[in-house]
Amino acid sequence: MTEKRVIVVGGGPSGLTAAYFLAHAGVAVTVLESRTGVYDDPRAATFHPPTMEMYESSGVTKRLHELGIICPRWQFRGREEGVVAEFDLGILSDVTSYPYRLQCEQHKLVAVLADLLAAEKTCTIHYGATVQNVSDSRQGTNQNPNDSVTLTVESNENTLLGKTSETGLIIYDPNRVTINPDGQIVLSIHETNLEGHQRLTAKLKGMLGDIGLHDKLMHRSLYLGKDIPIGGTAHQAGTVRFGRDPKTSALDINCKAHDLDNLYVVDASFFVSIAAVNPSLTIIANALRNA
């Protein structure tokens, strides 16, 4: 292919969200999904206010409300105690139009996004297309414009661009761990969603004043007063890539070292990204899967 485009591997909630906003901005996008269609898999089902705000302009938020259930309160329950604590999310009504959680399975979001993308002329979704390998001919900072990132794709579609490899643009996340020439580990952080963080911080300060604790807030010294500094990062994930090709990954798809039959890495280091909540249950589930 000759045009510049973004290739998104995976047609799940994250992949189709990225594809929609890129296509809506006029960027050519190809989505490669290994499954043969939209997967009806009722997994995680909670949408928080920032997510609904992000989808609002696209019409997705309105559609999710038609399919989901609004939950204005957030409860912690014990098996014997019942309700231990309850939070009324209505207190956020002055900072968001969605002061509640919306319960709607993520596979419904995928279906909504797929319908929207079907109307986008700059986006194409290929189902049954499995990415087998990624190769990068670019070297250093002085890159040849003819160099490229190539994806080798196994597809059941004879019309997949008439070939089994596709070249395009891949977005590289600046958040990464590298080793400098002196052998020191460098953790690079690019902050995102600062606007939401600032709104929540302002809300916290206002609430503390109402209960007489405003003077007790230790500004810019603890977690609630500022971001955790780079030396105090938590929920670390990544650094050990997994995949099918030993040349580009350390682990296979079952988290076993390519070169050793008795070495499995089942902590968070194989994660390709980290969620906004504790990763322990995902680590446990994957460890049980590989046991």
Side-chain angles (χ1 to χ4, degrees):
M1 55 186 293
T2 57
E3 67 174 338
K4 295 287 187 179
R5 65 171 47 230
V6 172
I7 300 173
V8 176
V9 179
S14 299
L16 291 192
T17 296
Y20 172 77
F21 283 105
L22 286 167
H24 193 63
V27 179
V29 185
T30 294
V31 179
L32 304 176
E33 169 56 45
S34 61
R35 297 186 184 276
T36 55
V38 175
Y39 190 44
D40 188 6
D41 182 14
R43 296 191 181 186
T46 300
F47 291 88
H48 297 276
T51 305
M52 290 184 277
E53 291 173 356
M54 179 186 71
Y55 284 126
E56 184 177 36
S57 62
S58 66
V60 170
T61 296
K62 180 177 182 297
R63 183 63 179 135
L64 291 178
H65 277 72
E66 295 171 352
L67 299 171
I69 300 173
I70 292 177
C71 299
R73 290 179 174 81
W74 180 18
Q75 295 180 338
F76 285 96
R77 291 176 172 268
R79 292 179 180 271
E80 299 178 357
E81 303 91 337
V83 177
V84 176
E86 181 177 273
F87 299 89
D88 184 355
L89 299 180
I91 198 171
L92 300 174
S93 60
D94 60 336
V95 294
T96 179
S97 300
Y98 307 100
Y100 47 79
R101 303 194 329 178
L102 180 68
Q103 298 302 118
C104 185
E105 298 93 329
Q106 285 190 0
H107 74 274
K108 296 178 181 178
L109 168 63
V110 172
V112 171
L113 289 169
D115 288 342
L116 286 175
L117 285 169
E120 293 288 343
K121 296 181 180 179
T122 56
C123 180
T124 303
I125 303 177
H126 293 285
Y127 292 104
T130 302
V131 175
Q132 301 286 5
N133 184 50
V134 179
S135 61
D136 190 349
S137 63
R138 302 173 302 173
Q139 298 293 329
T141 57
N142 298 320
Q143 295 174 6
N144 187 321
N146 295 322
D147 290 342
S148 63
V149 177
T150 301
L151 279 72
T152 302
V153 181
E154 178 182 343
S155 174
N156 56 13
E157 295 184 39
N158 294 327
T159 59
L160 182 56
L161 302 174
K163 55 183 179 181
T164 57
S165 64
E166 184 169 336
T167 302
L169 303 178
I170 291 181
I171 298 175
Y172 285 87
D173 192 332
N175 296 340
R176 58 184 60 251
V177 179
T178 56
I179 300 177
N180 66 18
D182 297 328
Q184 295 177 317
I185 296 176
V186 179
L187 179 59
S188 301
I189 297 292
H190 175 72
E191 295 180 331
T192 59
N193 198 27
L194 289 179
E195 190 272 336
H197 169 75
Q198 292 165 356
R199 280 194 295 158
L200 289 175
T201 300
K203 185 66 178 180
L204 169 65
K205 291 180 179 179
M207 292 170 61
L208 290 176
D210 292 340
I211 59 177
L213 293 178
H214 183 70
D215 293 339
K216 302 299 183 182
L217 180 62
M218 290 176 276
H219 183 61
R220 301 193 65 80
S221 60
L222 290 178
Y223 174 70
L224 293 177
K226 66 168 292 185
D227 296 336
I228 299 177
I230 198 168
T233 51
H235 299 168
Q236 294 283 55
T239 72
V240 182
R241 181 176 296 178
F242 77 114
R244 291 183 171 87
D245 188 354
K247 295 180 180 179
T248 58
S249 59
L251 309 174
D252 66 15
I253 59 175
N254 293 313
C255 296
K256 183 184 77 67
H258 284 296
D259 298 330
L260 297 171
D261 291 334
N262 61 345
L263 176 60
Y264 287 78
V265 179
V266 290
D267 60 3
S269 58
F270 85 98
F271 283 22
V272 295
S273 64
I274 189 68
V277 294
N278 297 4
S280 300
L281 291 178
T282 305
I283 295 172
I284 292 170
N286 181 63
L288 291 173
R289 178 180 74 91
N290 290 302

